[in-house]
Amino acid sequence: MARRPLPRILSSGTVSLARGRDLARTAADSATDVLHPLLVIGRGLRILAAAGRRRWSETPKDKRGPALFLGAACVLVVALVPYGPLCAMITLMAAAAWHGRDRAAAKAGPSDAETERLGSLYEALVPYFSIPEDPSPLFAHGGDWDQAFSGYEFDEAGRITRLHIRYPAYFTDGEATSRARIEALLHAKSGRGREYLFDWDEEGNQLDLKVLAALPTGIAAQPFVTSPGETVLGFTDAGSVQRTLPVLEGDEPRDVPPVIWRTGPRSTEPHLLAVGQPGSGTSTLLRSVALQALRHGGDVLIVDGGGSGEYACLAGRSGVLAVECGPTGAQATLEWAAQETERRLIATHRAREVGRPAPENTRRPLWILLDQPTVLAHLAVAEGGPDPLAQLQVPLRHGRPAHVTVVVAEQFGHLELLNDSVWQHTRARAVLGPAAVQQIADVLGLPPHTTPTAQVPPGRGYARLGTGPVHRLQVPATPDPYDEGTHPAYRQAVLELLPDRLVKPVQPPAQGSAIDAAEMPEVPAETP
């Protein structure tokens, strides 16, 4: 059947409607071009009005009256000045045109160089995220990386700073070795020399890669806002802990997240082990701990096995019982510390038997700080004497109820010389300086959650308290104040924290002195 032609009115009407739409679009474009300056000025006036209303709402009520008076005075002055209103109008129009101008269009998609980098990274991940049996692989040679990568960010040099990766569900992300291979590959392809954080989402089969900012190194030793029993080991990333401390970085106040180590009878990590290479900052950590312990009224014993004299600034100070550098003095000091721990336990036990609180002389914290003790142990054994580290068993095992804390700093090359008591009872651990992932895992019990770098400043490393997570750590700058090669401001900060010198330094009892139970102070009977 032949189709009947449309009525003339309908066919001609369609052409007229199309032509009318074109004329209307052309007229609208022309009007937009002609009125573009007015539109820009109107948009700028709207922005200025919104800013004025926001500023007025933020102004306190008690200051609104003077602000109105000042504004009225300015308007009056402008009105009285010759050509004042005209100049004010021109200035207002210029400001509105500036604020209402067209902003530069946002960057859409990566550049050619960034696209090439993402493509090469995608191709490098194909052997790890694909299997031949997958009918529709997410990762395939020559595939599209848009489906696997999202949320990418680059720095000024064109290197990746953040990348969100989707991977197949059959990838064995529950195995540490599989994750380690992917992290090593991404670290190598994204650029070395930076610390990367890998956040694995096993439930959603997603991996988030992020470049971490460097931890602050300009925070010197200072009176930290902590309670007795809390020691600041250093500072970490903002998302790792739920607390911040007010500190001074130079002359500027800041709130930074700290790594707090809690000691005392209720602590689950009563003792600390710090490991590092020479120059990594372990001695700095011990000085920082000593200054904080003295500030909270504790007694400090220091055994400097390295013999470098970095703790000479503490000798003869109030609260510092001894600073020993030789095997004979270390043996006598540690033997006294073991006997002091036993005395405190006996006195506390007697007081508990009669329902009395522990004596005051048993509740004063005692800190035993040992820097490279294996050197003194080797010298003592070579001279035919006893091992000083054997005296640490009593403070390590029974120091927590007696308010005795042991801190040991040692180098990686001498860890095998530490006895089993040190490894079993130092549940708080810190690794400072450059170290391999396996070395960090051997000390902390877990590998770090970031990629360690080969070049780190002194005091930079990782810390783990008990069975908690591994934190990045930056120890506050606490140099030897007598070392002229360090920063003068940091040396002055340490000098200001040192206690006053004693006329006659306090020394522990001589070697071999035993504590007799009969010499213990009698517990007074409870009065009605």
Side-chain angles (χ1 to χ4, degrees):
M1 179 182 296
R3 297 180 58 186
R4 299 178 58 185
L6 291 174
R8 183 177 179 84
I9 185 173
L10 293 181
S11 60
S12 62
T14 303
V15 177
S16 301
L17 289 176
R19 186 179 303 164
R21 283 196 298 267
D22 293 339
L23 291 175
R25 188 178 299 111
T26 303
D29 294 339
S30 301
T32 302
D33 294 338
V34 173
L35 300 177
H36 179 70
L38 296 179
L39 295 177
V40 171
I41 293 176
R43 189 188 310 122
L45 291 174
R46 186 171 64 253
I47 294 174
L48 292 176
R53 287 195 300 269
R54 184 171 59 255
R55 184 67 178 271
W56 178 258
S57 61
E58 294 175 356
T59 303
K61 293 183 178 180
D62 56 340
K63 296 182 179 180
R64 291 183 178 180
L68 284 175
F69 177 78
L70 180 61
C74 293
V75 171
L76 181 60
V77 170
V78 171
L80 296 178
V81 172
Y83 304 103
L86 180 60
C87 294
M89 184 63 65
I90 293 175
T91 304
L92 179 61
M93 293 299 104
W98 174 260
H99 286 281
R101 71 191 187 281
D102 294 334
R103 299 300 197 270
K107 181 182 177 181
S111 62
D112 295 339
E114 296 171 352
T115 302
E116 183 179 357
R117 181 179 289 271
L118 291 174
S120 63
L121 185 59
Y122 174 84
E123 293 290 337
L125 291 172
V126 169
Y128 301 92
F129 285 150
S130 63
I131 57 176
E133 296 81 6
D134 192 351
S136 57
L138 182 61
F139 285 82
H141 291 294
D144 189 4
W145 56 263
D146 289 340
Q147 299 180 1
F149 297 161
S150 62
Y152 43 80
E153 295 179 6
F154 294 85
D155 58 8
E156 294 80 2
R159 297 192 300 176
I160 295 175
T161 59
R162 190 181 186 95
L163 182 63
H164 191 75
I165 304 174
R166 291 177 54 243
Y167 57 86
Y170 52 74
F171 175 72
T172 56
D173 53 2
E175 300 178 2
T177 55
S178 300
R179 295 198 304 268
R181 286 196 300 266
I182 299 299
E183 293 175 2
L185 175 64
L186 293 174
H187 183 205
K189 294 294 184 180
S190 301
R192 300 182 183 273
R194 301 182 296 177
E195 280 195 85
Y196 293 88
L197 173 64
F198 299 96
D199 187 8
W200 290 86
D201 182 10
E202 289 88 354
E203 295 182 2
N205 301 321
Q206 297 178 357
L207 170 61
D208 192 23
L209 177 147
K210 181 174 63 174
V211 176
L212 295 176
L215 295 176
T217 59
I219 302 177
Q222 53 192 279
F224 299 115
V225 184
T226 56
S227 60
E230 293 183 345
T231 303
V232 177
L233 297 182
F235 305 99
T236 184
D237 299 302
S240 300
V241 295
Q242 299 179 353
R243 177 178 175 180
T244 59
L245 282 182
V247 298
L248 289 177
E249 185 175 2
D251 295 331
E252 298 181 0
R254 290 186 56 188
D255 287 341
V256 294
V259 178
I260 299 293
W261 173 40
R262 293 175 175 83
T263 58
R266 292 181 175 84
S267 173
T268 57
E269 303 88 22
H271 309 295
L272 173 68
L273 172 63
V275 183
Q277 301 288 356
S280 60
T282 54
S283 299
T284 297
L285 176 60
L286 259 64
R287 272 191 298 270
S288 176
V289 171
L291 292 177
Q292 295 180 63
L294 293 172
R295 177 173 173 265
H296 289 300
D299 293 330
V300 177
L301 284 174
I302 300 176
V303 175
D304 184 9
S308 59
E310 293 190 358
Y311 304 94
C313 60
L314 295 171
R317 301 283 179 174
S318 176
V320 180
L321 302 182
V323 178
E324 297 293 343
C325 300
T328 303
Q331 175 67 26
T333 299
L334 295 180
E335 184 177 353
W336 176 86
Q339 296 175 359
E340 174 66 12
T341 304
E342 295 174 350
R343 182 195 70 80
R344 293 186 176 206
L345 291 175
I346 294 174
T348 303
H349 179 67
R350 288 183 176 180
R352 294 289 187 266
E353 284 182 342
V354 296
R356 300 285 293 178
E360 184 66 27
N361 59 356
T362 64
R363 289 180 291 176
R364 184 180 176 89
L366 175 62
W367 293 75
I368 306 174
L369 310 181
L370 302 98
D371 192 356
Q372 303 184 43
T374 57
V375 177
L376 296 180
H378 177 75
L379 293 177
V381 173
E383 295 176 358
D387 185 3
L389 294 181
Q391 302 294 334
L392 283 179
Q393 294 186 7
V394 174
L396 286 172
R397 293 179 179 177
H398 310 290
R400 183 175 65 174
H403 296 271
V404 178
T405 303
V406 179
V407 181
V408 180
E410 193 52 79
Q411 298 181 4
F412 278 108
H414 303 157
L415 290 181
E416 67 276 1
L417 301 179
L418 293 177
N419 52 30
D420 295 338
S421 298
V422 176
W423 288 105
Q424 292 176 3
H425 297 91
T426 53
R427 292 174 48 83
R429 304 282 179 86
V431 177
L432 302 180
V437 176
Q438 188 58 43
Q439 289 180 313
I440 299 174
D442 292 340
V443 176
L444 301 183
L446 283 179
H449 61 293
T450 63
T451 54
T453 57
Q455 301 292 334
V456 294
R460 176 72 56 80
Y462 299 90
R464 188 187 183 201
L465 304 179
T467 58
V470 179
H471 300 285
R472 287 207 305 166
L473 182 70
Q474 177 61 54
V475 178
T478 316
D480 180 9
Y482 300 155
D483 184 6
E484 297 182 356
T486 57
H487 198 283
Y490 300 158
R491 292 162 46 197
Q492 182 62 31
V494 175
L495 289 174
E496 293 176 356
L497 293 177
L498 289 175
D500 297 333
R501 287 192 177 275
L502 297 175
V503 178
K504 183 178 180 180
V506 178
Q507 296 291 340
Q511 180 180 3
S513 60
I515 296 179
D516 189 1
E519 299 178 2
M520 296 292 297
E522 294 292 338
V523 179
E526 184 176 0
T527 57

